[in-house]
Amino acid sequence: MNLKAAINGIKQKDETAFEFIYNSTSSSVYGIIKAIIKDHNKTEDIMQETYIKMIKSINSYNYKYNFKSWLLTIARNTALDYYRKIIKEEVIDVNENEHLFPKQKSVVESKSLANYYLSLLDDDEREIVVLFAMENFKHKDIANIVNKPIGTVTWLYNKAIKKLKEASKEVK
Amino acid sequence: MKEKEILKVIKDDIFEGTPNILSKIDLKNIPIEEPQTKKKTLCNPFKKLPVALVMGVFVLALVIFSIAYRPKNTPPNTLTKVSVTEKDKIVVGYAITGIQLVGNYSYEVQTLNYNKQITTINKQKEKEISNEMIDEFHKYFYFVEDYLELYNVDIEIYVNEENDYEYKMIVKVEKLFNVFDEYILYYDEKREIDDDEEEKEMKGILIYQNITYNFKSEEELEEGESEIKVIIYEENYNNRVEIEKEVEIDEYQYEYTIYKDNKKHEVVELEVEEGKIELVIEKEDAEHEYTITKINNNNFLITYDDDYIFNLFIDLNEKQYVYEYENEQIIKK
């Protein structure tokens, strides 16, 4: 099955088609949401919400555009809406989310090197690095998803990679 | 650790950590919203204007490059044809692209449907979308022809005695399929030469098919590199076309921007680097990208937004462009 057929399949409520789309995109969707929310449990909820929104609005998807970019834009907007909402309603417990982005080197060895790397980045940088890592998008595709100029995306990406390269020396 | 390795660590970790929530999504019970139809404006007074304007811009660029690259200290003389240097070849495509733009509104579109039995709604939708893509690509293919230098251009420059402008230039273009066109420009020019750098400004009018356009240009030329900016408009400066082009060794890039009511209306970029030709069209908040692979002088493979692939064959005998995708063929003349 190809992507186009799968999109048409979703319109016909074809479970196999949806599974194909899900398997092709879930890691990237998870990655971008996690980069914003930093809470594993909430990330699952927002993933679910993202896919529901995608299905509901599948008829508005235009084949001329990159499907993954479209889906990841939905994921990002859903995550940002959630993030803005909880910022208004409650104070985020940083320690509670520490397992996702551990900042101590000692934790890195037992947990995740990737999470340590991502914890070193600013929010904007993290989103861009995750999108680049997951889909190898071009900077202009990422610029469309994160709604920033290409120059800004390139600058943020280079800044982030510089930080990560430095960090990788320490980890060694 | 190298950049790729770092990205791989991040990717692998996210991949491993991705929860499986597939079972939590009940596809059957999620209502799918009806598509929202967006009506297009039937009357767009600017629709025709940019075509002519852009055409003019390209011709101007042609002129500017030809003058800039002609041997220094060779002033235009009455009835003396200016010799075309090797570097003038860079300019050839500009005229091609401009004229081709005009052609966009006159080509005949003929769709040969090889499979008359296509009846499903989905298939019809697919066909419509593909036609749309190819229509758009064809409208801008002259940019690629420009880069590939598929047109012939002949330029003559004279000291002008017909009006107040200093020079008169006649540009004759032979485009694909032996079609000819002609432009006349009257202009003044100001040139400053400093060591290896040269700056020049041109200002005047361009006449094509009895329509007069205003233009002005600024360019900087250095050894092996050139930058050019041209602005052209018919009457209202707010409805103008700006073109910027950079040529460096092993790199070729330009973009033109159409302004409507002083706001960006459409941007087209062509970039060629390491043999890869990318054509990007930005309009109505959308961006479309075509990557063109040249198989030979007449055959091209085009990838659209990384998802769709179609072929183009330039049929010189039948004088037509033949686009093929899936089991369909579209012919444009």
Side-chain angles (χ1 to χ4, degrees), chain B residues 238-252:
Chain B
N238 290 338
N239 294 342
R240 67 189 181 278
V241 176
E242 292 186 6
I243 186 164
E244 291 184 69
K245 180 171 181 176
E246 286 185 40
V247 177
E248 293 179 33
I249 297 167
D250 298 330
E251 276 189 34
Y252 177 102

Side-chain angles (χ1 to χ4, degrees), chain A residues 35-100:
Chain A
I36 296 167
I37 299 299
K38 313 175 197 74
D39 179 320
H40 184 76
N41 295 325
K42 292 294 179 189
T43 297
E44 284 194 25
D45 293 342
I46 294 164
M47 275 182 80
Q48 190 179 352
E49 197 178 333
T50 297
Y51 281 105
I52 290 171
K53 280 183 181 175
M54 181 272 286
I55 294 164
K56 280 184 176 175
S57 56
I58 193 70
N59 277 326
S60 66
Y61 167 67
N62 187 332
Y63 286 85
K64 289 193 292 185
Y65 310 126
N66 184 304
F67 178 78
K68 283 187 181 175
S69 294
W70 181 70
L71 177 62
L72 290 174
T73 304
I74 294 174
R76 180 176 184 270
N77 290 340
T78 308
L80 285 175
D81 286 346
Y82 171 81
Y83 194 69
R84 290 185 193 114
K85 193 177 166 190
I86 58 168
I87 281 177
K88 275 186 184 174
E89 291 177 356
E90 57 189 275
V91 177
I92 301 169
D93 184 347
V94 177
N95 292 326
E96 193 181 314
N97 299 324
E98 193 74 357
H99 68 284
L100 270 174

Side-chain angles (χ1 to χ4, degrees), chain B residues 166-209:
Chain B
E166 201 174 354
Y167 302 118
K168 176 182 181 180
M169 175 179 282
I170 300 172
V171 182
K172 293 176 182 171
V173 182
E174 179 189 1
K175 62 181 185 179
L176 282 178
F177 314 144
N178 305 111
V179 178
F180 295 87
D181 224 326
E182 184 176 283
Y183 304 84
I184 296 174
L185 295 91
Y186 298 96
Y187 60 95
D188 296 324
E189 78 173 49
K190 194 167 72 179
R191 186 188 289 221
E192 287 179 18
I193 300 172
D194 180 19
D195 296 329
D196 293 335
E197 285 187 26
E198 183 177 336
E199 289 184 15
K200 190 158 67 67
E201 287 180 18
M202 287 173 65
K203 195 171 181 181
I205 56 172
L206 179 152
I207 300 170
Y208 174 67
Q209 292 183 345

Side-chain angles (χ1 to χ4, degrees), chain A residues 4 13 18-19 22 27 30 44 48 51 56 59 63-65 112 114 133 138 140 157 168 172, chain B residues 1 3 7 13 15 18-19 21 24 27-28 30-31 33 126 132 278 280 286-287 289 304-305 308:
Chain A
K4 203 173 185 180
K13 299 281 183 96
F18 176 65
E19 195 173 338
Y22 178 85
S27 288
Y30 172 70
E44 284 194 25
Q48 190 179 352
Y51 281 105
K56 280 184 176 175
N59 277 326
Y63 286 85
K64 289 193 292 185
Y65 310 126
S112 158
K138 291 177 180 174
K140 65 183 171 191
Y157 178 74
S168 73
K172 281 178 183 174
Chain B
M1 197 182 283
E3 180 180 337
L7 293 172
D13 185 70
F15 192 78
T18 304
I21 59 152
K24 292 183 179 177
L27 179 64
K28 300 282 182 207
I30 298 172
E33 293 163 0
E126 194 174 274
E132 192 179 304
E278 283 188 348
V280 181
E287 185 178 277
E289 181 179 323
Y304 173 75
D305 283 352
Y308 305 95

